Amino acid sequence: MSRDRTDAVIAALGRDARPVRRIPPLRRQLATVLLLAAAVAVVVVAGLGLRAPGLPLLQLGSPFLWMALGLAAAGVAGATSALAFARPGREAEAWRALALGLAALGLAGLASAYAVAGSGASSEPIWRGAPELPCIIASLVFSLPAALLVTRLASRAAPLQRGRTAFVSAGSATALGALAAHLICRTPGEWHVVVTHALEPFVGALLLAAPLYALLRWWRR
Amino acid sequence: MAAAQEGDGQRYEALLHEVRPVVQAYVRKRLPGDAAVEDVVQTVLLLIHRARHSYRAERPFEPWLFAIAKNALRDHQRRGGRRARREETLRDDLRRHADPDAPGDRARSASPESGAIARELERALAKLPASQREAVTLLHLEGLSVDEARSASAPRAAP
């Protein structure tokens, strides 16, 4: 293709300059996602009830509280990252948010592991196999509304790296879904809260990334 | 850019003309070959057009522009790498066999070595799918132009 052809491309684009609707600010999109995730959590808790009563849910330093904070932070930071990845020129911000989310989840995992180890439950098995699965499935199901919304919002921006956007969307939405699952989880064992709940966002990122990528492509057509 | 988002074609065109040398310089630093550079510049212009709604006036324009340029360049290089892995350059002796009129090769075309090369070429051609084999035969062995090859293959391709 020649330079003359580039001139022709510019002229054609100039002729095609119809008014376009600017994408809303990232914060507004993020607030929409968080509102939806909160609504899902409220509906889930209202329908299924909080985690077994009697557990020190809000006690400072309890594994439950640490993990709830970690999942919430990972969800918020991950959704910020996914939406920023879909906007050209905001990759640095997206990477920072992603790193922050991962660090928050990692720290929450470490803090809750420390709390479990100090509680005398450390002799319990860390991974029970099949009984862990319902919780993972619940977190995936609860993550679907947020996953679809983040992907839809990302598709309306300009995701240059669709794979990356889909992967982070999947992980962040699953973190938010895992938070709802965490609130109602009845799987026994303190290590379950630490290990399975912390791993759920990664499982979701792996399992949901491909369908979200396909959706992103579909919506971008 | 804000004017372009509101549909002002003239100012949009002026912006693209202004942006073009900047993108060209960015791509030229990272990519050899004028044609390839121009290809990527045009892709960047098209991507700017498709992504123009994603620019927000309160943010600087350059990071937005260079993110698009960087991505177009990366895609181009990735596609180039994939193409290079798929394609195999014809060995010089096979190339000479394909062009027996090349200087100094007429005598060789009748030699026993030439027979071995012809068999090797046939084997290589046999490995290709029918449509590619036909294209290589018409373009490189029969020496037709692209248009002539298209006309020659069209009647056979028709249902």
Side-chain angles (χ1 to χ4, degrees):
Chain A
M1 290 194 219
S2 67
R3 284 171 186 223
D4 295 342
R5 186 140 165 83
T6 308
D7 283 328
V9 168
I10 291 177
L13 296 180
R15 281 194 300 276
D16 191 42
R18 294 181 312 276
V20 286
R21 227 171 92 187
R22 268 173 231 148
I23 50 169
L26 193 148
R27 277 183 197 169
R28 196 190 302 164
Q29 289 191 330
L30 179 65
T32 316
V33 173
L34 297 183
L35 270 177
L36 178 69
V40 169
V42 167
V43 169
V44 164
V45 171
L48 299 168
L50 263 181
R51 191 173 159 80
L55 278 177
L57 298 186
L58 293 175
Q59 188 185 312
L60 215 65
S62 72
F64 178 86
L65 187 63
W66 277 123
M67 195 43 69
L69 291 174
L71 288 170
V76 174
T80 307
S81 173
L83 294 171
F85 270 132
R87 291 159 185 251
R90 298 186 74 167
E91 285 82 2
E93 199 179 324
W95 283 116
R96 269 200 304 275
L98 185 62
L100 208 68
L102 288 172
L105 191 59
L107 281 176
L110 285 176
S112 46
Y114 182 74
V116 169
S119 73
S122 52
S123 56
E124 287 179 9
I126 288 176
W127 179 259
R128 292 165 196 258
E132 310 278 346
L133 287 181
C135 181
I136 295 174
I137 293 167
S139 72
L140 289 174
V141 172
F142 300 154
S143 74
L144 289 180
L148 292 175
L149 181 62
V150 173
T151 309
R152 181 71 180 154
L153 295 174
S155 76
R156 284 186 179 172
L160 297 174
Q161 296 285 321
R162 287 184 197 147
R164 191 183 292 163
T165 306
F167 191 77
V168 179
S169 300
S172 64
T174 318
L176 295 170
L179 179 59
H182 179 69
L183 295 175
I184 57 132
C185 179
R186 281 157 177 78
T187 309
E190 298 256 334
W191 281 115
H192 167 81
V193 170
V194 180
V195 178
T196 308
H197 290 195
L199 286 179
E200 278 165 358
F202 301 99
V203 175
L206 290 173
L207 294 180
L208 297 180
L212 293 187
Y213 177 81
L215 262 182
L216 201 54
R217 284 192 66 160
W218 174 261
W219 279 330
R220 283 290 296 164
R221 286 203 309 188
Chain B
M1 193 63 189
Q5 288 174 325
E6 281 155 22
D8 186 336
Q10 278 187 334
R11 289 173 75 181
Y12 182 39
E13 214 176 306
L15 171 80
L16 293 180
H17 277 297
E18 208 175 305
V19 153
R20 179 181 165 181
V22 178
V23 176
Q24 257 169 353
Y26 175 84
V27 177
R28 189 163 288 134
K29 261 191 207 165
R30 292 155 180 86
L31 196 68
D34 279 352
V37 169
E38 222 45 39
D39 259 0
V40 176
V41 169
Q42 287 169 19
T43 307
V44 172
L45 294 172
L46 291 170
L47 284 174
I48 288 174
H49 187 67
R50 275 202 77 189
R52 67 193 192 282
H53 66 291
S54 71
Y55 173 70
R56 290 197 56 87
E58 71 270 16
R59 299 190 70 84
F61 179 68
E62 286 80 9
W64 183 85
L65 172 68
F66 286 116
I68 291 174
K70 187 178 162 189
N71 188 69
L73 186 63
R74 195 192 299 138
D75 271 1
H76 178 88
Q77 286 167 335
R78 205 178 290 156
R79 270 200 309 274
R82 273 204 297 265
R83 202 179 303 137
R85 277 196 297 279
R86 272 202 313 269
E87 288 176 2
E88 209 176 301
T89 311
L90 205 58
R91 264 172 32 205
D92 279 350
D93 49 355
L94 295 180
R95 195 192 302 277
R96 277 198 300 272
H97 183 79
D99 184 10
D101 292 335
D105 282 314
R106 273 168 219 232
R108 205 177 310 165
S109 66
S111 68
E113 184 201 358
S114 160
I117 291 170
R119 281 192 295 280
E120 195 173 338
L121 185 59
E122 274 166 20
R123 271 198 300 275
L125 278 171
K127 286 182 193 166
L128 292 174
S131 58
Q132 285 181 23
R133 186 166 53 243
E134 185 180 19
V136 170
T137 308
L138 292 174
L139 290 169
H140 297 290
L141 299 184
E142 295 180 17
L144 300 185
S145 69
V146 174
D147 284 339
E148 288 166 340
R150 195 183 297 129
S151 328
S153 64
R156 273 167 277 174

